[in-house]
Amino acid sequence: MRVREGTAVAGLGFVLAVTAVWWALALWPLPAEAPAWLARTRLVCFGAAPHTLPTGAGWAVLIGEPVAMLGALLVVWGRDVTAGLVSLRRSAAGLVVLRAAALLVLVGLSAAGLRVARASAGMTPLDAANATRVDRPAPPLRLVDQHGDTVALADMRGRPTLVAFAFGHCETVCPLLVRDALAAAGAVTERPAVLIVTLDPWRDTPARLATIAAQWHLTGDARVLGGSVAEVEAVLDAWSVSRVRDPGTGDVPHAGLVYVVDRSGRIAWSLPGGADAIASLVGGL
């Protein structure tokens, strides 16, 4: 194999290796003891919390970057890549390398597909053991709901309340998180209040909250809350909600958490979804 062909094939191997690492970082569930920098990198790059899938922008990065690198490689060295692969096929050792590479790609795609299918179906193992005990007063929360009414967390004293943060244009984490909160609320004898605070007040304006509520199938007294950018940002800061807004797309990568607030207005637990787990914690208050 000529040097130029070998370099081109090595470049193809590099693209595949980088893609594998990229996808593993985005999709592999992080253990509780994972370093903070790793969780932060995952959140900023892909909008994926430790137990959730990437956001729409995250998927665009996951798919777009490898496609762009592969496209650039083929434009510059397309003929050399083809010639190099043909040369590999002509030798026994080269054929073993090609088959091993193909097997690894197949295994990687299967693992990624299984991970996405499990998460999309709500099958990621979540139970009360995943919850973090908080036990502190809930920060102030006073915003407008989809009916145009002002809603304050303080008004919910005397009943459990579920508080989560999401946004209308989110197509991955947010719908699952809202679904889990609603399912948990419906599974408890004393139905808790459900408050979903927008992370995107720029697009989730008060006028759009009714549309978002219908999109998420909010019923009864489940509310989606918003307000001016300053009002919503103040609430998010008070609740220490980690988020990074992409000024180009408007997407807001964020950690997907549901907070269980007890009857006295204290945050008792936080956990990354899971209807059964949330219902179990609410029932134990």
Side-chain angles (χ1 to χ4, degrees):
M1 185 186 297
R2 294 181 303 174
V3 173
R4 185 177 176 86
E5 292 174 359
T7 302
V9 172
L12 177 60
F14 175 77
V15 170
L16 294 177
V18 169
T19 301
V21 172
W22 205 234
W23 278 63
L25 174 61
L27 298 178
W28 196 269
L30 296 182
E33 62 274 12
W37 67 265
L38 183 58
R40 181 66 177 175
T41 299
R42 179 182 170 120
L43 178 65
V44 171
C45 292
F46 310 109
H51 296 282
T52 63
L53 294 176
T55 62
W59 280 113
V61 171
L62 275 177
I63 297 171
E65 289 291 343
V67 169
M69 289 191 294
L70 184 60
L73 179 67
L74 293 179
V75 167
V76 177
W77 281 336
R79 292 183 178 178
D80 295 300
V81 169
T82 302
L85 293 176
V86 170
S87 295
L88 281 176
R89 289 183 60 188
R90 290 173 179 165
S91 68
L95 193 58
V96 169
V97 170
L98 288 177
R99 287 176 176 173
L103 179 61
L104 289 175
V105 169
L106 181 61
V107 169
L109 290 175
S110 298
L114 180 61
R115 163 65 178 148
V116 171
R118 285 172 60 86
S120 298
M123 295 176 61
T124 302
L126 290 170
D127 53 38
N130 296 101
T132 300
R133 182 67 175 174
V134 180
D135 193 26
R136 63 178 173 83
L141 197 171
R142 185 180 180 86
L143 293 168
V144 175
D145 70 4
Q146 67 266 31
H147 307 296
D149 299 326
T150 298
V151 176
L153 181 60
D155 298 336
M156 307 300 164
R157 291 287 179 89
R159 67 183 297 196
T161 303
L162 303 179
V163 179
F165 300 87
F167 64 103
H169 286 77
C170 177
E171 298 177 351
T172 52
V173 177
C174 301
L176 294 174
L177 201 66
V178 173
R179 184 195 66 187
D180 284 349
L182 294 176
V188 181
T189 301
E190 183 182 354
R191 189 181 182 95
V194 178
L195 305 180
I196 312 296
V197 180
T198 180
L199 289 157
D200 185 13
W202 294 269
R203 293 181 294 181
D204 294 349
T205 60
R208 287 200 68 249
L209 295 181
T211 300
I212 297 170
Q215 170 186 319
W216 287 340
H217 306 291
L218 301 188
T219 58
D221 59 354
R223 285 89 174 264
V224 54
L225 304 179
S228 68
V229 172
E231 290 170 336
V232 173
E233 288 283 274
V235 169
L236 299 180
D237 288 341
W239 281 73
S240 300
V241 177
S242 177
R243 76 276 185 196
V244 181
R245 184 172 187 267
D246 185 330
T249 65
D251 284 339
V252 188
H254 64 98
L257 293 173
V258 175
Y259 294 89
V260 180
V261 181
D262 65 20
R263 295 174 180 80
S264 65
R266 296 180 68 84
I267 300 177
W269 304 92
S270 70
L271 70 167
D276 292 341
I278 298 170
S280 175
L281 294 174
V282 173
L285 292 178

Short mmCIF file of all heavy atoms in Angstrom, two decimals, residues 71-113:
data_model
loop_
_atom_site.label_atom_id
_atom_site.label_comp_id
_atom_site.label_asym_id
_atom_site.label_seq_id
_atom_site.Cartn_x
_atom_site.Cartn_y
_atom_site.Cartn_z
N GLY A 71 -17.02 13.68 5.08
CA GLY A 71 -17.15 14.38 3.80
C GLY A 71 -15.86 15.08 3.41
O GLY A 71 -15.44 15.01 2.24
N ALA A 72 -15.22 15.74 4.37
CA ALA A 72 -13.96 16.43 4.08
C ALA A 72 -12.88 15.43 3.67
O ALA A 72 -12.10 15.68 2.74
CB ALA A 72 -13.51 17.21 5.31
N LEU A 73 -12.85 14.28 4.36
CA LEU A 73 -11.86 13.25 4.03
C LEU A 73 -12.06 12.73 2.60
O LEU A 73 -11.10 12.58 1.84
CB LEU A 73 -11.97 12.10 5.03
CG LEU A 73 -11.02 10.91 4.80
CD1 LEU A 73 -9.58 11.33 5.02
CD2 LEU A 73 -11.39 9.75 5.72
N LEU A 74 -13.31 12.49 2.23
CA LEU A 74 -13.60 11.95 0.90
C LEU A 74 -13.35 12.98 -0.19
O LEU A 74 -12.94 12.62 -1.31
CB LEU A 74 -15.04 11.45 0.84
CG LEU A 74 -15.34 10.23 1.73
CD1 LEU A 74 -16.81 9.84 1.62
CD2 LEU A 74 -14.44 9.06 1.36
N VAL A 75 -13.59 14.24 0.11
CA VAL A 75 -13.32 15.28 -0.89
C VAL A 75 -11.83 15.37 -1.18
O VAL A 75 -11.39 15.49 -2.33
CB VAL A 75 -13.86 16.64 -0.39
CG1 VAL A 75 -13.31 17.78 -1.25
CG2 VAL A 75 -15.38 16.65 -0.43
N VAL A 76 -11.02 15.31 -0.12
CA VAL A 76 -9.57 15.47 -0.29
C VAL A 76 -8.90 14.18 -0.75
O VAL A 76 -8.05 14.17 -1.64
CB VAL A 76 -8.93 15.95 1.03
CG1 VAL A 76 -7.41 16.05 0.88
CG2 VAL A 76 -9.51 17.30 1.44
N TRP A 77 -9.31 13.04 -0.12
CA TRP A 77 -8.61 11.78 -0.36
C TRP A 77 -9.57 10.65 -0.77
O TRP A 77 -9.31 9.48 -0.48
CB TRP A 77 -7.86 11.35 0.90
CG TRP A 77 -6.58 12.07 1.12
CD1 TRP A 77 -5.79 12.68 0.20
CD2 TRP A 77 -5.92 12.23 2.39
NE1 TRP A 77 -4.68 13.23 0.80
CE2 TRP A 77 -4.73 12.96 2.15
CE3 TRP A 77 -6.21 11.84 3.70
CZ2 TRP A 77 -3.84 13.30 3.17
CZ3 TRP A 77 -5.31 12.18 4.71
CH2 TRP A 77 -4.15 12.90 4.44
N GLY A 78 -10.64 10.98 -1.43
CA GLY A 78 -11.63 9.97 -1.76
C GLY A 78 -11.07 8.79 -2.54
O GLY A 78 -11.28 7.62 -2.19
N ARG A 79 -10.31 9.06 -3.60
CA ARG A 79 -9.75 7.98 -4.41
C ARG A 79 -8.73 7.17 -3.62
O ARG A 79 -8.64 5.93 -3.75
CB ARG A 79 -9.11 8.55 -5.66
CG ARG A 79 -10.11 9.16 -6.64
CD ARG A 79 -9.40 9.64 -7.90
NE ARG A 79 -10.35 10.19 -8.87
CZ ARG A 79 -9.99 10.70 -10.04
NH1 ARG A 79 -8.70 10.72 -10.39
NH2 ARG A 79 -10.91 11.19 -10.86
N ASP A 80 -7.96 7.84 -2.78
CA ASP A 80 -6.95 7.15 -1.99
C ASP A 80 -7.58 6.26 -0.93
O ASP A 80 -7.07 5.18 -0.62
CB ASP A 80 -6.01 8.17 -1.34
CG ASP A 80 -5.21 8.94 -2.36
OD1 ASP A 80 -4.46 8.32 -3.12
OD2 ASP A 80 -5.38 10.18 -2.41
N VAL A 81 -8.70 6.72 -0.34
CA VAL A 81 -9.42 5.89 0.63
C VAL A 81 -9.90 4.62 -0.05
O VAL A 81 -9.72 3.51 0.47
CB VAL A 81 -10.61 6.65 1.24
CG1 VAL A 81 -11.50 5.70 2.04
CG2 VAL A 81 -10.13 7.78 2.14
N THR A 82 -10.51 4.76 -1.22
CA THR A 82 -11.02 3.59 -1.95
C THR A 82 -9.88 2.65 -2.32
O THR A 82 -9.97 1.43 -2.13
CB THR A 82 -11.75 4.04 -3.23
OG1 THR A 82 -12.82 4.92 -2.87
CG2 THR A 82 -12.29 2.84 -3.98
N ALA A 83 -8.80 3.21 -2.84
CA ALA A 83 -7.65 2.37 -3.23
C ALA A 83 -7.04 1.68 -2.03
O ALA A 83 -6.65 0.51 -2.09
CB ALA A 83 -6.61 3.24 -3.94
N GLY A 84 -6.97 2.38 -0.91
CA GLY A 84 -6.40 1.80 0.30
C GLY A 84 -7.24 0.65 0.83
O GLY A 84 -6.71 -0.38 1.26
N LEU A 85 -8.55 0.81 0.80
CA LEU A 85 -9.44 -0.27 1.26
C LEU A 85 -9.33 -1.49 0.35
O LEU A 85 -9.36 -2.64 0.82
CB LEU A 85 -10.88 0.24 1.32
CG LEU A 85 -11.18 1.31 2.38
CD1 LEU A 85 -12.62 1.80 2.26
CD2 LEU A 85 -10.91 0.79 3.78
N VAL A 86 -9.23 -1.24 -0.96
CA VAL A 86 -9.06 -2.35 -1.90
C VAL A 86 -7.75 -3.09 -1.63
O VAL A 86 -7.69 -4.33 -1.66
CB VAL A 86 -9.10 -1.83 -3.35
CG1 VAL A 86 -8.70 -2.94 -4.33
CG2 VAL A 86 -10.50 -1.31 -3.68
N SER A 87 -6.70 -2.33 -1.34
CA SER A 87 -5.41 -2.96 -1.04
C SER A 87 -5.48 -3.80 0.22
O SER A 87 -4.89 -4.89 0.29
CB SER A 87 -4.33 -1.88 -0.89
OG SER A 87 -4.12 -1.17 -2.10
N LEU A 88 -6.21 -3.30 1.23
CA LEU A 88 -6.36 -4.08 2.46
C LEU A 88 -7.06 -5.40 2.21
O LEU A 88 -6.72 -6.44 2.79
CB LEU A 88 -7.13 -3.26 3.51
CG LEU A 88 -6.35 -2.19 4.28
CD1 LEU A 88 -7.29 -1.42 5.20
CD2 LEU A 88 -5.22 -2.82 5.09
N ARG A 89 -8.05 -5.38 1.36
CA ARG A 89 -8.82 -6.60 1.07
C ARG A 89 -7.97 -7.67 0.39
O ARG A 89 -8.31 -8.86 0.42
CB ARG A 89 -10.02 -6.26 0.18
CG ARG A 89 -11.12 -5.48 0.88
CD ARG A 89 -12.30 -5.26 -0.04
NE ARG A 89 -12.86 -6.53 -0.50
CZ ARG A 89 -13.81 -6.64 -1.43
NH1 ARG A 89 -14.26 -5.54 -2.03
NH2 ARG A 89 -14.28 -7.83 -1.77
N ARG A 90 -6.90 -7.26 -0.23
CA ARG A 90 -6.08 -8.22 -0.98
C ARG A 90 -5.14 -9.04 -0.08
O ARG A 90 -4.55 -10.01 -0.56
CB ARG A 90 -5.26 -7.48 -2.04
CG ARG A 90 -6.12 -6.92 -3.17
CD ARG A 90 -5.30 -6.06 -4.09
NE ARG A 90 -6.11 -5.54 -5.20
CZ ARG A 90 -5.75 -4.53 -6.00
NH1 ARG A 90 -4.56 -3.95 -5.81
NH2 ARG A 90 -6.53 -4.13 -6.97
N SER A 91 -4.98 -8.61 1.18
CA SER A 91 -4.10 -9.35 2.09
C SER A 91 -4.92 -9.95 3.22
O SER A 91 -5.97 -9.41 3.61
CB SER A 91 -3.02 -8.42 2.67
OG SER A 91 -3.60 -7.46 3.54
N ALA A 92 -4.44 -11.09 3.75
CA ALA A 92 -5.16 -11.76 4.83
C ALA A 92 -5.24 -10.87 6.06
O ALA A 92 -6.29 -10.75 6.70
CB ALA A 92 -4.46 -13.09 5.16
N ALA A 93 -4.12 -10.24 6.41
CA ALA A 93 -4.11 -9.38 7.60
C ALA A 93 -5.04 -8.17 7.40
O ALA A 93 -5.77 -7.77 8.31
CB ALA A 93 -2.69 -8.90 7.88
N GLY A 94 -4.99 -7.61 6.19
CA GLY A 94 -5.85 -6.46 5.92
C GLY A 94 -7.33 -6.83 5.98
O GLY A 94 -8.16 -6.05 6.46
N LEU A 95 -7.66 -8.00 5.50
CA LEU A 95 -9.04 -8.45 5.53
C LEU A 95 -9.53 -8.64 6.96
O LEU A 95 -10.67 -8.31 7.28
CB LEU A 95 -9.17 -9.77 4.75
CG LEU A 95 -10.59 -10.23 4.41
CD1 LEU A 95 -11.32 -9.17 3.60
CD2 LEU A 95 -10.55 -11.55 3.64
N VAL A 96 -8.64 -9.14 7.83
CA VAL A 96 -8.99 -9.28 9.25
C VAL A 96 -9.27 -7.91 9.87
O VAL A 96 -10.23 -7.73 10.63
CB VAL A 96 -7.85 -9.99 10.02
CG1 VAL A 96 -8.09 -9.90 11.53
CG2 VAL A 96 -7.75 -11.44 9.59
N VAL A 97 -8.42 -6.93 9.52
CA VAL A 97 -8.61 -5.56 10.05
C VAL A 97 -9.95 -4.99 9.60
O VAL A 97 -10.69 -4.40 10.39
CB VAL A 97 -7.45 -4.65 9.59
CG1 VAL A 97 -7.77 -3.19 9.92
CG2 VAL A 97 -6.15 -5.07 10.26
N LEU A 98 -10.27 -5.18 8.33
CA LEU A 98 -11.54 -4.64 7.81
C LEU A 98 -12.74 -5.30 8.47
O LEU A 98 -13.72 -4.63 8.82
CB LEU A 98 -11.61 -4.84 6.29
CG LEU A 98 -10.69 -3.96 5.44
CD1 LEU A 98 -10.82 -4.33 3.97
CD2 LEU A 98 -11.01 -2.49 5.65
N ARG A 99 -12.67 -6.61 8.65
CA ARG A 99 -13.79 -7.32 9.28
C ARG A 99 -13.94 -6.91 10.75
O ARG A 99 -15.06 -6.76 11.24
CB ARG A 99 -13.57 -8.82 9.15
CG ARG A 99 -13.80 -9.33 7.73
CD ARG A 99 -13.48 -10.81 7.61
NE ARG A 99 -13.79 -11.32 6.28
CZ ARG A 99 -13.50 -12.54 5.85
NH1 ARG A 99 -12.87 -13.40 6.67
NH2 ARG A 99 -13.83 -12.92 4.63
N ALA A 100 -12.80 -6.75 11.42
CA ALA A 100 -12.86 -6.32 12.83
C ALA A 100 -13.45 -4.93 12.95
O ALA A 100 -14.28 -4.65 13.83
CB ALA A 100 -11.46 -6.36 13.44
N ALA A 101 -13.06 -4.03 12.04
CA ALA A 101 -13.60 -2.67 12.05
C ALA A 101 -15.10 -2.67 11.79
O ALA A 101 -15.87 -1.97 12.45
CB ALA A 101 -12.88 -1.81 11.02
N ALA A 102 -15.53 -3.49 10.82
CA ALA A 102 -16.96 -3.58 10.50
C ALA A 102 -17.74 -4.13 11.70
O ALA A 102 -18.84 -3.65 12.00
CB ALA A 102 -17.17 -4.46 9.28
N LEU A 103 -17.16 -5.12 12.39
CA LEU A 103 -17.83 -5.70 13.55
C LEU A 103 -17.97 -4.67 14.67
O LEU A 103 -19.03 -4.55 15.31
CB LEU A 103 -17.05 -6.91 14.05
CG LEU A 103 -17.62 -7.62 15.29
CD1 LEU A 103 -19.03 -8.14 15.01
CD2 LEU A 103 -16.70 -8.74 15.72
N LEU A 104 -16.91 -3.90 14.90
CA LEU A 104 -16.95 -2.88 15.94
C LEU A 104 -18.00 -1.81 15.61
O LEU A 104 -18.71 -1.33 16.51
CB LEU A 104 -15.58 -2.23 16.10
CG LEU A 104 -14.49 -3.09 16.74
CD1 LEU A 104 -13.15 -2.38 16.72
CD2 LEU A 104 -14.88 -3.46 18.17
N VAL A 105 -18.08 -1.41 14.34
CA VAL A 105 -19.09 -0.43 13.94
C VAL A 105 -20.49 -0.99 14.17
O VAL A 105 -21.38 -0.29 14.70
CB VAL A 105 -18.91 -0.04 12.46
CG1 VAL A 105 -20.11 0.78 11.97
CG2 VAL A 105 -17.62 0.74 12.27
N LEU A 106 -20.71 -2.25 13.82
CA LEU A 106 -22.02 -2.87 14.01
C LEU A 106 -22.38 -2.96 15.49
O LEU A 106 -23.52 -2.64 15.87
CB LEU A 106 -22.01 -4.28 13.38
CG LEU A 106 -23.32 -5.07 13.48
CD1 LEU A 106 -24.44 -4.33 12.76
CD2 LEU A 106 -23.14 -6.47 12.89
N VAL A 107 -21.41 -3.35 16.32
CA VAL A 107 -21.66 -3.45 17.76
C VAL A 107 -21.97 -2.06 18.32
O VAL A 107 -22.88 -1.89 19.14
CB VAL A 107 -20.45 -4.07 18.48
CG1 VAL A 107 -20.60 -3.92 19.99
CG2 VAL A 107 -20.31 -5.53 18.10
N GLY A 108 -21.23 -1.05 17.89
CA GLY A 108 -21.45 0.32 18.38
C GLY A 108 -22.82 0.84 18.00
O GLY A 108 -23.52 1.43 18.83
N LEU A 109 -23.22 0.61 16.75
CA LEU A 109 -24.55 1.05 16.32
C LEU A 109 -25.66 0.33 17.07
O LEU A 109 -26.67 0.94 17.44
CB LEU A 109 -24.70 0.83 14.81
CG LEU A 109 -23.86 1.72 13.90
CD1 LEU A 109 -24.01 1.30 12.45
CD2 LEU A 109 -24.26 3.19 14.07
N SER A 110 -25.46 -0.95 17.32
CA SER A 110 -26.46 -1.72 18.06
C SER A 110 -26.59 -1.21 19.49
O SER A 110 -27.70 -1.06 20.01
CB SER A 110 -26.09 -3.21 18.06
OG SER A 110 -26.06 -3.72 16.75
N ALA A 111 -25.44 -0.94 20.13
CA ALA A 111 -25.46 -0.43 21.50
C ALA A 111 -26.13 0.93 21.57
O ALA A 111 -26.93 1.21 22.47
CB ALA A 111 -24.03 -0.34 22.04
N ALA A 112 -25.83 1.79 20.59
CA ALA A 112 -26.45 3.12 20.57
C ALA A 112 -27.95 3.01 20.34
O ALA A 112 -28.74 3.69 21.00
CB ALA A 112 -25.82 3.97 19.47
N GLY A 113 -28.36 2.13 19.43
CA GLY A 113 -29.79 1.94 19.18
C GLY A 113 -30.52 1.41 20.39
O GLY A 113 -31.63 1.85 20.71
#
